[in-house]
Amino acid sequence: MATQNVFVYGSLMSRDVLTILLRRVPKMEDAKLRGYHRFRVRDRVYPAIYKHDDAFVQGKVLLEITDEERRILDEFEDSEYESHPITATVDSTGQEVPASVYVFKNRDPLHGEWDYSEFERDHLPKFMTMCQVFADGQSRRVPF
């Protein structure tokens, strides 16, 4: 079975969110993505990234994501994002790994800095409820 890596930088860094969506926590490594900046999205609790030459984004690389898990992530990220091939650098080893990342299509609603600890503290429980509703809809369409 073919697998792939996905660099995540927002709500998908949460083990709880991954458990709801994928029904497991994939192996993951802390990593950096150079050439992008993470922003708040106006009126949303999750972030987006956009190209920015002099910046980097701290996140995680999800390793060995299956095709079915990737399909779930693609649907979860919806049409506001598009997948781009990238190379991420694993913090612990310096190893560069190929991955994909979800990039926001529209720069207009992006502003300021997004903070994971603030998301976890102020928004994670409600966000997990939304994820569960999404996952329940997925389970009716595709057996896990």
Side-chain angles (χ1 to χ4, degrees):
M1 173 172 37
T3 62
Q4 54 200 294
N5 304 323
V6 178
F7 181 83
V8 297
Y9 53 85
S11 61
L12 292 175
M13 292 192 298
S14 166
R15 298 173 74 81
D16 294 329
V17 168
L18 291 170
T19 299
I20 292 169
L21 297 176
L22 304 180
R23 303 215 175 178
R24 74 178 184 107
V25 176
K27 181 177 178 191
M28 58 180 137
E29 296 282 348
D30 292 337
K32 287 181 184 60
L33 174 60
R34 299 192 188 287
Y36 290 85
H37 181 81
R38 179 175 40 216
F39 295 92
R40 289 180 180 273
V41 180
R42 189 175 306 116
D43 301 324
R44 310 287 169 79
V45 300
Y46 51 81
I49 62 169
Y50 209 80
K51 276 285 222 189
H52 192 289
D53 290 338
D54 297 329
F56 73 89
V57 175
Q58 185 67 47
K60 296 182 182 295
V61 175
L62 306 181
L63 302 167
E64 301 177 357
I65 298 298
T66 67
D67 289 342
E68 178 59 20
E69 290 170 333
R70 179 56 192 263
R71 183 196 64 74
I72 291 166
L73 295 176
D74 286 349
E75 287 191 27
F76 181 73
E77 292 296 355
D78 206 356
S79 63
E80 292 180 315
Y81 293 84
E82 59 189 2
S83 178
H84 290 212
I86 52 95
T87 301
T89 305
V90 175
D91 290 350
S92 63
T93 65
Q95 177 185 6
E96 293 187 343
V97 295
S100 58
V101 67
Y102 295 102
V103 178
F104 211 68
K105 292 180 183 178
N106 180 6
R107 172 73 173 90
D108 292 341
L110 305 183
H111 66 96
E113 298 286 331
W114 185 86
D115 181 75
Y116 181 76
S117 60
E118 177 185 320
F119 167 78
E120 222 176 12
R121 181 188 68 237
D122 298 342
H123 305 291
L124 185 58
K126 284 184 180 179
F127 194 81
M128 288 171 54
T129 300
M130 184 273 303
C131 291
Q132 189 63 60
V133 170
F134 173 85
D136 290 346
Q138 290 291 306
S139 66
R140 283 194 281 280
R141 293 186 348 203
V142 178
F144 278 83

